[in-house]
Amino acid sequence: GYESLDDLVDALAPAALERLSLRTMGLIPEHVGRLMAGRSAGSLRELDLRGNPLGYEGWDALFARLPAGVHTLGLAATG
């Protein structure tokens, strides 16, 4: 299951982070939505989600709350 990823996303959500790499972690759209709804999204400048099975649903969750201050975004192999 995704229990450990759920715990990780919950732990990261309230953090104030400028850079976050979750490359090839097995994140699904639900994880991205929860992460972007947390406090950490507001301070992000660099986000790497490459290699996760996000698809359109995950992209929608990401772009609905992606802060304007993000200048580096890794999304290769997330389709």
Side-chain angles (χ1 to χ4, degrees):
Y2 290 104
E3 295 84 17
S4 59
L5 282 174
D6 289 337
D7 293 341
L8 176 62
V9 168
D10 291 342
L12 290 173
L17 304 171
E18 289 187 15
R19 285 181 267 159
L20 181 60
S21 178
L22 295 170
R23 188 174 183 177
T24 316
M25 295 287 295
L27 296 177
I28 58 174
E30 178 188 341
H31 294 131
V32 173
R34 286 178 27 219
L35 186 64
M36 290 293 99
R39 180 176 171 230
S40 64
S43 59
L44 283 174
R45 301 297 172 253
E46 299 177 21
L47 179 60
D48 186 357
L49 298 176
R50 290 179 277 183
N52 290 290
L54 304 181
Y56 294 120
E57 186 180 345
W59 295 342
D60 286 345
L62 173 65
F63 291 121
R65 297 185 181 209
L66 188 69
V70 172
H71 58 75
T72 304
L73 181 60
L75 291 176
T78 57

